[in-house]
């Protein structure tokens, strides 16, 4: 049986922690779909298209990984892809409660969809997109936190706008 997994998230921006998880997922599953949520409620730093481009660039070395976007319920999107697994990363105990709630709710919505949790490498256990955005906005070092291509896009975005605003 071919196992298709979805790795959903906001990825604003993608970090080395996300890439670590994608690497692990690509090794474990036959196909891995990195799925960016199109969420009109949040005001992101990067558009979905920009995030998709960054992720596609950074995951090009894995032939079984593709990057898509979705809206609506994750379970519906998973069904449309024929995916059996949702992949999520857990960094610290603090992630667990939220992740458990989502996994259980997704199971209630579709009991055939299995959530698999993986831990990123320890070096990324404190890394988050929110902190990366904050550090970048104050000009701090992002060494080993994001790929070089993401770092230059961050600097360009924050440099041009002067503050963390998406383009209009
Ligand atoms: O990177 P994030 O922001 O933690 O990802 C959250 C995400 C995208 C996995 C979650 O918000 C999601 O799946 N949204 C889709 C809508 C949905 O299915 N909601 C019910 C989940 S229980």
């Amino acid at each position: 049986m071919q196992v298709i997994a979805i790795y959903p998230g906001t990825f604003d921006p993608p970090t080395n922690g996300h890439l670590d998880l994608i690497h692990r997922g690509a090794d474990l599953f036959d196909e891995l779909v990195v799925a960016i949520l199109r969420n009109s409620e949040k005001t992101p730093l990067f558009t979905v298209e920009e995030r998709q481009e960054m992720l596609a660039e950074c995951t090009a070395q894995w032939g079984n990984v593709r990057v898509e976007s979705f809206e609506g319920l994750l379970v519906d999107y998973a069904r449309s892809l024929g995916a059996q697994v949702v992949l999520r990363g857990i960094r610290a105990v603090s992630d667990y409660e939220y992740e458990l709630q989502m996994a259980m709710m997704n199971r209630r919505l579709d009991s055939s969809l299995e959530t698999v949790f993986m831990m990123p490498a320890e070096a990324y256990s404190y890394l988050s997109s929110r902190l990366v955005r904050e550090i970048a906005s104050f000009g701090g070092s992002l060494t080993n936190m994001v790929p070089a291509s993401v770092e230059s896009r961050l600097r360009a975005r924050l440099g041009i706008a002067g503050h963390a605003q998406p383009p209009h």
Side-chain angles (χ1 to χ4, degrees):
M1 186 180 83
Q2 290 277 304
V3 180
I4 303 173
I6 298 186
Y7 178 35
T10 306
F11 306 106
D12 188 34
T15 68
N16 285 347
H18 294 130
L19 293 176
D20 179 279
L21 220 75
I22 292 168
H23 190 172
R24 289 169 201 278
D27 282 351
L28 194 63
F29 302 110
D30 296 299
E31 261 185 66
L32 182 66
V33 180
V34 180
I36 306 164
L37 177 66
R38 289 187 174 274
N39 182 353
S40 53
E41 279 172 30
K42 285 189 190 173
T43 309
L45 180 57
F46 292 104
T47 65
V48 170
E49 289 67 30
E50 288 171 323
R51 284 176 268 158
Q52 191 161 355
E53 256 177 53
M54 287 188 266
L55 279 163
E57 267 168 38
C58 300
T59 60
Q61 70 264 44
W62 297 298
N64 61 340
V65 175
R66 66 177 202 271
V67 186
E68 308 275 353
S69 65
F70 77 104
E71 50 196 348
L73 284 179
L74 180 63
V75 290
D76 291 336
Y77 180 61
R79 213 175 282 134
S80 75
L81 290 178
Q84 304 94 323
V85 169
V86 174
L87 173 65
R88 290 285 290 174
I90 289 200
R91 292 161 298 191
V93 176
S94 50
D95 282 339
Y96 181 72
E97 223 167 304
Y98 170 61
E99 293 298 334
L100 177 72
Q101 193 182 14
M102 270 205 305
M104 288 312 191
M105 191 55 86
N106 282 332
R107 179 176 281 170
R108 171 177 277 207
L109 294 170
D110 183 346
S111 59
S112 68
L113 192 62
E114 207 58 68
T115 299
V116 171
F117 293 119
M118 292 177 97
M119 276 68 69
E122 222 177 317
Y124 306 128
S125 59
Y126 53 85
L127 191 54
S128 72
S129 296
R130 187 182 64 79
L131 287 181
V132 162
R133 289 195 303 271
E134 192 168 308
I135 292 163
S137 72
F138 292 116
S141 166
L142 293 171
T143 307
N144 296 331
M145 294 186 202
V146 293
S149 58
V150 173
E151 178 164 3
S152 51
R153 280 187 194 241
L154 271 165
R155 303 261 177 246
R157 174 58 39 85
L158 296 165
I160 289 161
H163 50 90
Q165 289 295 313
H168 293 290

